[in-house]
Amino acid sequence: MDERVVGRAGELGVLAGLLDEVDRGRGQGALLIGDAGIGKSATASAFADTVRDRGYAVAWGRCPETETLPYWPWRQAFRALGLSTALPESAATGRATVFVEIADQLAAATAERPAIVILEDVHLADGPTLTLLRFVAGLVPELHCLLLISSRDNAVDVPERAAETLRAMPPAFVRLPLAGLDRAATAQLVERVIGAGVDPGYAADVHARTGGNPFFVQELARLHAARGTTSTETPTGVRQVLERRLARLNQPAYDVLATASVLGEEVELDVLAAVEQTATTDVLAVLGDATAARLSEIEGDRFRFAHSLVREVVYSGLGAVRRSDLHLRAAQELTGRCCPTGVHNVTHGLPLVDTCCSADLLEANAGRVAAHYRAAVGHPEAGDLSREFALIAARAAMRRSGYEQAAHFYRWAGDIDPAVRLELGEAQVLAGELTSGRETLRGVAREAAAAGQAETVARAVLAMGGGVGGFEVDLTDIEQAQLLEQVVPELPDAALKAAAVARLALGQTLTDHGDRPRDLAEQAVALAREAGDPRAEVAALAAWCDVHAGPDHVAERVAAAERMLATASAIGDVALVLLARRQLVVALLEQGRFAEADGQIAAFAHTVRPLGLPLHSWLVPIWQGMRALMTGRLDETTACIDQASRLAEEADSVNARLMVFALRSAHACATGTMPSLRAYLEEVMTPYGGNPMADGPYAFYSIQAGVLDRGRGIVRHRVRDGLDAIVKDAEWLESIAFFGEAARLVADDEAAALAYDALAPYADLWVIDGIGGACLGTVSLFLGRLAAQLGRPEARRLLESALDAHRAVDAGTLTAETEKALAELGGGRVHRAVDAGELCRLGATWAATWRGVTAHVPDSKGVRDLAILLARPRTPVSVLDLSGPGRVAGGDLGPVLDDRARTAYRERLLELEDDLVEAEAGNDLARAENDRAERDFLTRELAGALGLGGRARTAGDPVERSRKAVSMRITAAIKAIDQVHPALGRHLRVSIRTGRQCVYEPEDEVTWHCQSAPGA
């Protein structure tokens, strides 16, 4: 496909096929039809370039919009073909003689050189041009020619005489209607205008606004490029095109479109008719012209604009008074649909359902009604009614977890009273507007505290952390704890007090390292259970888990999180379900129960994705990236880091940014690229300088980044101050592990001994960074490396324990680290346990079991080949044996390259190497590039002609044919296994060798049980 045109490969392919028929001596005709800007000219131009390359003459004729001589496009085309016939300058002049002369000259010209005649914009053609078109169309089969006609095809733009001529084209003419580009092609076209890296969301918006019309797409993209920002303005060129089409409509059709533009891009026909104050049948009748002009569509009982730009142009053409009146009529009509009386009572936030409204209809229409009243500028009570319905819409959105939409409508409702501002702040926080939402709530809490309104204070502070459960609590905000301390004694012993005491317990953890936070958490759980409130109990249990974080209470946290999940699921509270799963994932990871953690991560992702809430969503790519890094899927980890980074900014979340740092740093350490992150390290860690908890990570990452002196200094400082200054909470285990690694890397035995003693009781736990930002391995890995540093005999036992644990969960990255540590110990080969696997056929599928995990793949020849190879480890099997008896027949056709050709290729390669050295020395870039291209070509040819050991491959060799077939199907089978069992897929990729002889060569001893027949 021509690179200048996007999304027209199908149409260009059809035209190329017609050209093949012309080559065979059979003239062809085709019609490119579609709306203005749809790409008819671009497609024809791209095709014309193709035919020039094939030796065709190209003759263009364009029908002008202005009055000119008759036959104008034909005059242009005939001049290009060198025809000498003089077309008459008057339409009244006799045609017969002239037309006969044209036929003769066309036949002679195309016989001498085939041609393509392109007649553009035939909808603008005059009568004589159309008459000659009918005549030439009849000649086409006898000419060595392709006649390509382009025209619009809607009823408004195409006069009847042109439409009649197009309908009269011979049935053999191919009709190619051009539709709007799809989303992918639209994005590609946008990138051509703006450049690479276009936001997919912006490209999707452009597609929605334009319907994929290429001209409209490019105009919007150019406006975006010129302004440097996304604009809702309609480009001038687009406006002019649409205004011309709209101007051809009759007035009743335009009036209905004007009313529809106020109602939205899509609307029920009965609503449109009611606002237009006419019958639905009348609306349908007048919309016929608009539909024929491709400005609108009717589907069932709904009207919609052809695309957003049509509505935008119509709406912008309305005068201010008419626009306001139409919005008022729309609001009144929709109000009447939720209020049986048809007259809505303004009650400023009171429950309207109890007065005059149907609850379901009210919530369904509230947002639309609010928008219409808001736009009905100048009408009495419109403002009050807009705020009224906005409040209803906001609360309905909150119940649906539509927090961004809720915040939008709360702002419309305005500053009615503190209760509404409290709801706005809660919506802002849950929508990811943490900073602004917390400030809104802080203002409410301060006012309420001054007025002695304890319950409002408590609700505002709870909302600052994301609601009752506290998904994102700012523990550094001391004022929150102070406000709660002030009002908790005044709260009744009920659910609100339980949640407030739970949050107070959490808020005390940074300043009170004694028993009080845990005592408060126990009190909160008791209060919630006494109140019989499941939400309060989940919130209290979440606080209990947080204040009991650390290595000493992992099993208890698993049990508490499981109760949280069961309780939250029973009441259907999505936010609390997500909170419970987050607590459970972290505790399971610390115990090394990765399969169960993966299940919880998948469930979390399944719940959060439809919500589209950054505040919760960022955890999904963090956890997925952590698991990918463990198993060595580094590219996938990078993609997860990028996604999590974007969501962290959208969520305005400090926790999210820290977890992105944890995952990014772990990935950098695994790939040896930490020095490149030195500036990033400073940005993130500097604010935590001097914090005992941060000393370990800061020292370790500084050393990894090449700042050894700082890392060594932090280690010595922590030795002097002691490890007791590090609070034994959620970050304690990772902090000590990082400290120990830093001590080992700078060979500080005193520090290493301190870390070893602190970690020793927790050898069976796993070190998890934060709430799952990275998995650093088992504690026994850290203990083993520290023991090796200190020369202790238990080093090998600890490292072998770590190796078994890492292998058991297929943690390839950690396994490699552990094997390296064992190898550095010396004393012989690293012990490797004997693995076992099963591959058993179950009819139409195979069950593949590897390292305790079973997956199923469809039966295929490739899987059967694998079963044979796995059953015979380290035993080469001929591809002829795998192909089976009688499957390959026939002799070979000789070598792909004979001896003489191979010798010539090798000699030429030696010449090229010498010539390339000379060209590079002389800075002759063009010559060097040509040499490299020829060298690469010859190398590929030789590689394709030689097999193992440099033996010549023969064309048609039955063994060679079998080699290709078997290799392809084994590769396909391994890919299929990799989709359902990545660990086994990786093992097979590195262990299976294909060629004329195929063999399974595992690095370690593996025992396979293979059963190729069901029930065998």
Side-chain angles (χ1 to χ4, degrees), residues 425-449:
E426 183 177 10
Q428 287 176 293
V429 169
L430 292 171
E433 302 173 27
L434 288 182
T435 301
S436 58
R438 284 169 175 165
E439 287 309 305
T440 300
L441 293 165
R442 193 184 309 279
V444 172
R446 287 171 178 172
E447 291 176 16

Side-chain angles (χ1 to χ4, degrees), residues 349 366-367 370 374 386-431 433 440-441:
R374 185 177 175 85
S386 174
R387 287 187 286 275
E388 182 75 32
F389 277 96
L391 187 56
I392 298 166
R395 288 170 175 164
M398 286 293 286
R399 287 191 288 274
R400 298 192 306 269
S401 301
Y403 304 121
E404 292 177 342
Q405 187 182 43
H408 169 74
F409 284 124
Y410 276 124
R411 291 189 182 97
W412 278 12
D415 187 4
I416 298 175
D417 58 43
V420 175
R421 282 191 288 124
L422 193 157
E423 293 174 34
L424 166 62
E426 183 177 10
Q428 287 176 293
V429 169
L430 292 171
E433 302 173 27
T440 300
L441 293 165

Side-chain angles (χ1 to χ4, degrees), residues 628-642:
L629 182 58
M630 284 179 66
T631 53
R633 305 192 308 274
L634 300 179
D635 290 343
E636 185 178 332
T637 306
T638 300
C640 289
I641 291 170
D642 293 341

Side-chain angles (χ1 to χ4, degrees), residues 195-245:
V198 172
D199 178 9
Y202 171 69
D205 179 63
V206 169
H207 182 268
R209 289 183 68 192
T210 63
N213 181 296
F215 173 70
F216 297 168
V217 169
Q218 291 178 92
E219 289 295 294
L220 278 180
R222 289 189 184 105
L223 185 63
H224 173 93
R227 301 285 172 82
T229 182
T230 301
S231 173
T232 58
E233 181 182 344
T234 306
T236 302
V238 174
R239 179 180 298 281
Q240 291 172 346
V241 169
L242 292 175
E243 283 177 344
R244 282 198 295 269
R245 196 186 306 176

Side-chain angles (χ1 to χ4, degrees), residues 557 572 833:
R557 282 190 283 114

Side-chain angles (χ1 to χ4, degrees), residues 897-916:
L897 290 177
D898 60 23
D899 290 342
R900 183 177 178 182
R902 290 197 301 276
T903 300
Y905 275 28
R906 291 189 177 103
E907 289 176 352
R908 178 56 181 159
L909 281 172
L910 292 174
E911 293 174 3
L912 285 170
E913 290 297 336
D914 293 339
D915 195 61
L916 182 58

